[in-house]
Amino acid sequence: MQFMLTEGAAVDEISPVQLDMRVGKIVEIGKHPDADALYVSKIDVGEEHPRTIVSGLAQLIPQADLDGRLVVVLCNLKPAKMRGVESQGMVMCASVEEPRSVEPLDPPPGSAVGERVFVDGYASGAAAERLNPKKKIWEKLQVDMRMSADCVAEWQGSSLMTPQGVVRCKSLRGAAIK
């Protein structure tokens, strides 16, 4: 959907449909060679090869708790180098600052690797191939992403889900999703 300004320029509506969120499986994980706070993971998101994803979780979540688990991955961020290693996405987590705590989002049981994660009511439409960093689409949508009182991931009160059910975290009620 587009809105027209009086000058005739089109402005794209920012919508969670633009986010390419998928169920991923961490198939390999290790410490970043140059940063104690970072992990370098290979995550299968249903493509020909696993994606390399750098995450700042090394001082927050034990490596063994992440190895082999299903996670939610934001796949259409612009690749970014983190301490010399290119990251091709982001592991989505519930996060609180005080006391500092982070939990990866949990896809519902029965979810398949590569399956799309969508916001309830926003399942139709194709995600953007790559989010334009100048438009700050992720940043504008992220401010309205939170965990509910029942630990369900939500955007503006609508659940993040797959066809198998809702996406959750273990215990961080009301936490921001980052």
Side-chain angles (χ1 to χ4, degrees):
M1 176 185 273
Q2 294 193 331
F3 298 106
M4 298 302 290
L5 299 175
T6 53
E7 296 86 35
V11 177
D12 291 331
E13 178 184 9
I14 292 182
S15 161
V17 169
Q18 294 168 288
L19 302 177
D20 181 5
M21 299 180 288
R22 292 186 233 161
V23 174
K25 182 175 183 175
I26 299 175
V27 294
E28 184 180 312
I29 186 168
K31 288 276 204 150
H32 190 292
D34 299 324
D36 290 339
L38 301 177
Y39 285 133
V40 178
S41 304
K42 296 283 187 191
I43 302 180
D44 182 355
V45 292
E47 297 170 336
E48 186 176 345
H49 301 288
R51 288 180 179 227
T52 298
I53 297 183
V54 180
S55 62
L57 302 174
Q59 295 178 336
L60 301 165
I61 302 172
Q63 183 173 323
D65 290 355
L66 294 171
D67 195 16
R69 81 174 281 157
L70 292 181
V71 292
V72 176
V73 178
L74 181 56
C75 294
N76 59 346
L77 292 172
K78 181 181 176 187
K81 287 224 176 191
M82 295 177 75
R83 293 281 183 100
V85 177
E86 184 177 83
S87 185
Q88 302 164 329
M90 181 178 76
V91 175
M92 297 181 71
C93 295
S95 177
V96 294
E97 296 301 322
E98 291 298 326
R100 186 76 176 121
S101 187
V102 174
E103 294 175 2
L105 298 185
D106 292 319
S111 294
V113 166
E115 199 163 43
R116 185 167 183 198
V117 175
F118 57 91
V119 175
D120 191 22
Y122 295 87
S124 61
E129 185 174 324
R130 173 113 35 236
L131 296 177
N132 183 339
K134 292 179 182 168
K135 292 186 178 182
K136 304 259 185 233
I137 294 166
W138 163 242
E139 293 81 356
K140 291 174 183 173
L141 292 169
Q142 186 271 329
V143 297
D144 291 322
M145 289 191 153
R146 302 203 77 68
M147 302 309 299
S148 74
D150 296 325
C151 293
V152 173
E154 296 180 338
W155 177 77
Q156 293 187 349
S158 295
S159 300
L160 272 66
M161 54 194 316
T162 73
Q164 281 66 42
V166 297
V167 172
R168 299 181 172 276
C169 74
K170 293 203 181 343
S171 65
L172 297 179
R173 292 168 177 77
I177 297 173
K178 298 181 180 186

